[in-house]
Amino acid sequence: MSIEAFTQLFDEVFTKGDLDAADRLVAAEIVDHQFAPDGSPGRVLTREQFKQFVRMLRAGLPDLRYSVEDATQDGDKVWIRVRARGTDTGTGQFGHPPTGRPVSIDVIDVARFVDGRMVEHWGVPDRFSVLQQVGHHA
């Protein structure tokens, strides 16, 4: 079931940092519709590029952990609401030197799965909340 695959992706890959698990949970290429720093939604990512994204995220929040709050499935698409928690102690990926502050990020993710592997992804993390938590103010 795809809900189980998506939950495993958050638990094994994002929380535990087991990038080998991505080999069985993520297709060789995925279409990612999440906003990218270069503004390119709908870009194709290889599995290795996906793993690089996970590495970068975990470098900025080395104690990153996710908890699945809600999940539902309709056909080959899974909607999931997760809360990510970690400490801003890593590479300064939020546009400033690391603050040492804890962050909590609510994320709504939608993914399409084929044969138990993610092939397409839409993500909506609460970026403004993260910026506020690490000291950026509007």
Side-chain angles (χ1 to χ4, degrees), residues 8-114:
Q8 288 174 5
L9 188 68
F10 281 107
D11 182 47
E12 296 175 29
V13 178
F14 284 99
T15 297
K16 295 177 182 170
D18 179 3
L19 297 179
D20 291 336
D23 293 336
R24 66 180 162 77
L25 297 168
V26 178
E29 291 185 340
I30 66 168
V31 177
D32 193 5
H33 300 279
Q34 182 167 312
F35 174 80
D38 67 0
S40 59
R43 67 198 184 285
V44 175
L45 297 178
T46 66
R47 186 182 300 130
E48 188 52 44
Q49 288 171 313
F50 174 84
K51 289 179 182 182
Q52 184 58 36
F53 169 76
V54 173
R55 284 185 200 97
M56 185 249 347
L57 189 60
R58 292 185 54 77
L61 301 163
D63 60 345
L64 180 64
R65 63 202 178 283
Y66 281 81
S67 59
V68 174
E69 306 292 324
D70 291 297
T72 190
Q73 182 171 345
D74 183 16
D76 61 357
K77 288 187 181 141
V78 177
W79 283 257
I80 201 162
R81 182 174 63 88
V82 297
R83 175 153 302 143
R85 293 178 181 88
T87 309
D88 179 27
T89 59
T91 60
Q93 69 182 24
F94 299 119
H96 60 80
T99 64
R101 293 181 180 179
V103 295
S104 177
I105 309 160
D106 289 316
V107 182
I108 303 293
D109 271 314
V110 179
R112 189 168 64 86
F113 285 80
V114 174

